[in-house]
Amino acid sequence: MLYSSGFSTSYEELISRYPLFYRDVLEMRAILEAEGRALDSAVNNINLVLDNAFLFTADESAIARLEAFLRINPDDNATLEERRNALWLYYTGFGKMSASKLKELLFPYTGEDCSISFSAADEARNNLLRIVMPRGTTERLSELDIMSLLARRLPAHIWYGVEVVYSEKSNLFFGVATTYINEMILPSEPEDISAIAYFVDELGDVLIDELGAILID
């Protein structure tokens, strides 16, 4: 709020400053009521501008404009608070990335610390950045938001995978920072990713479709 005058409306504040004999004049009361409504509208608009200048007080329309500007596509079921958190995470964690910084970025999604490893994951000894996230107790978890965040933060040459651990099953996501991530529902013990067969061209390069998704046999 811009300021608090102690009055519920601008009209009450205005008429309180007039002499007592003026307050019973119908024409004067009508003028003050009209001016009071105009002032109330101005104050509300000023407060709206101030609120929309800060991420955690911005309204839905301001959040939507910022998402469009940053080319962020929110989950259709995401609440306004979740969309605010996603935007906040977009602005944090720039610069050199580390395991501790990744854990800090991912913590708000589940409320649990994730485990991170970086080791060879296929016969060619290509290293995989593996992130294992406990599901935690958050009401809703958007895998799309998680993968979108990682795609913006991790270098394009890093092959990474995210495993969200549920009590009965795990969701495994994998790819590189510039590709759209495919989702697979796997048993609680994930399969060996080295057994995944990719489509390759005659030069042995992995093929991707027009959306950048890796083609899997």
Side-chain angles (χ1 to χ4, degrees), residues 100-149:
S100 60
K101 187 172 291 186
L102 277 174
K103 289 181 180 181
E104 180 182 352
L105 287 175
L106 295 172
F107 181 83
Y109 286 104
T110 62
E112 300 279 350
D113 285 326
C114 60
S115 62
I116 297 175
S117 62
F118 189 65
S119 58
D122 60 14
E123 294 180 355
R125 306 297 295 173
N126 293 310
N127 288 327
L128 171 71
L129 177 65
R130 185 182 183 188
I131 303 170
V132 180
M133 300 177 62
R135 173 58 181 85
T137 57
T138 53
E139 182 177 348
R140 200 185 64 84
L141 178 66
S142 172
E143 290 88 353
L144 179 61
D145 288 346
I146 294 173
M147 302 312 296
S148 177
L149 173 70

Side-chain angles (χ1 to χ4, degrees), residues 52 54-69 72 74 79-85 87:
N52 285 342
F54 299 92
L55 189 58
F56 287 104
T57 56
D59 63 12
E60 197 279 336
S61 62
I63 293 297
R65 290 194 299 270
L66 188 54
E67 288 169 337
F69 175 75
I72 295 176
T79 64
L80 182 59
E81 190 64 27
E82 289 171 336
R83 292 165 65 186
R84 287 171 175 163
N85 286 332
L87 287 169

